[in-house]
Structure formats: structure tokens, C-alpha cells
Amino acid sequence: MPDPTARPQAPAPGRTLRQVLEGCPFFSRVSWSDYPGHGQRAPRARATGIFNLDSLVGKASQGRTFTARDRAALAKAGANLCYVLEYAFPPDKPLGERSLTAVMIVTMDWSETAQLADDAMLTEIASGVAGDAVLRAVLDAADHCWARTPSR
């Protein structure tokens, strides 16, 4: 079990992206998909990590704790919270280039995407420690679901 007071560290060299994502203790599942290119759009590959929100209940960020009630808001919305990392493979870049890093709330009826500005969440995922970046996203998702539900 990871130390809850540990700080995120850079990923160990030599680990593949698959090892980093599939070894993340706060993902319940990681799925992989690819999309062919069409017209001017290059082929893409996407990794999607679905957060195990139960493992994050009780963790705090910036004075706020992700509670069982917050978890219930996501459950009531029927929402999965996902980390998405996508690469495009244009002809001039055979090793690919990152085209999307985002957090998504996905339900049967709607989805919301928030693109990430930096690699803070990926660093936390690689270290196995849910720090401020992960907890901010989880808390924001809970707040968004609270706002979308007609009655609490």
C-alpha cells in the first residue's frame, strides 16, 4: 500500500507507458484504442485510465477532502472519471507526438473534457501517489456532478 504522505516522484527510467499506466494504484482499469487517420488527420493511439474513485475517498487537497458523499455524486450521475493520453502519428513523426492529455467525466448521456496544461497528473500516476493534480481533478468532477444533479 502506498504511503499516503509520500510526494510524487519522476517515473523510473526504462518503464514503458503501458507499465506506468497499468501499474497506477488508483486506476481500476486501463484501456487502449487506436484510430485510423482520415483525410488530413493522422492515425492516433489512446490510453484511457479509469479512476477507482473508492481508493481516493478520504484523500485531501488544498483543504478539501474527497468524501463518500462526493463519490456518491459521481455514482448518482453514473459517471466514470478517466485520464486520457493520446498520441498522433503523422508521417513525419513515426514515434508520434502527444495530441491530448485530459481528464474526462463520461456518462451514458453526456461527457465533459478538461485538457491538462502540464504533466503534473502524469507524474503522480507514474509515482503511484494521488497528489494535488489528481485530487483537484476528482474534486472538480464531484462538484460538476453535484451541479448537474437536480436534488441532493
Side-chain angles (χ1 to χ4, degrees), residues 63-107:
R64 179 148 179 249
T65 302
F66 182 65
T67 65
R69 185 176 168 178
D70 291 320
R71 173 66 183 102
L74 286 142
K76 184 174 182 179
N80 280 321
L81 184 63
C82 307
Y83 174 78
V84 177
L85 187 57
E86 183 177 280
Y87 284 83
F89 295 91
D92 62 331
K93 295 186 179 172
L95 296 177
E97 62 186 358
R98 194 178 317 180
S99 57
L100 177 67
T101 306
V103 174
M104 296 177 83
I105 304 171
V106 180
T107 74

Side-chain angles (χ1 to χ4, degrees), residues 18-151:
R18 181 176 293 276
Q19 290 168 327
V20 167
L21 295 176
E22 291 180 357
C24 178
F26 41 91
F27 285 157
S28 61
R29 184 178 53 159
V30 177
S31 63
W32 301 86
S33 48
D34 58 66
Y35 307 93
H38 296 293
Q40 298 286 18
R41 192 167 189 146
R44 294 170 292 140
R46 178 181 279 192
T48 304
I50 300 174
F51 283 96
N52 172 0
L53 296 171
D54 295 329
S55 73
L56 298 173
V57 171
K59 297 195 182 308
S61 172
Q62 299 176 349
R64 179 148 179 249
T65 302
F66 182 65
T67 65
R69 185 176 168 178
D70 291 320
R71 173 66 183 102
L74 286 142
K76 184 174 182 179
N80 280 321
L81 184 63
C82 307
Y83 174 78
V84 177
L85 187 57
E86 183 177 280
Y87 284 83
F89 295 91
D92 62 331
K93 295 186 179 172
L95 296 177
E97 62 186 358
R98 194 178 317 180
S99 57
L100 177 67
T101 306
V103 174
M104 296 177 83
I105 304 171
V106 180
T107 74
M108 293 292 285
D109 301 323
W110 54 273
S111 66
E112 295 288 332
T113 303
Q115 289 199 24
L116 299 172
D118 59 31
D119 285 338
M121 188 176 295
L122 183 57
T123 300
E124 292 176 13
I125 288 166
S127 69
V129 177
D132 284 341
V134 168
L135 291 169
R136 238 186 347 260
V138 171
L139 290 166
D140 287 350
D143 289 344
H144 187 78
C145 288
W146 275 123
R148 287 187 66 99
T149 51
S151 66

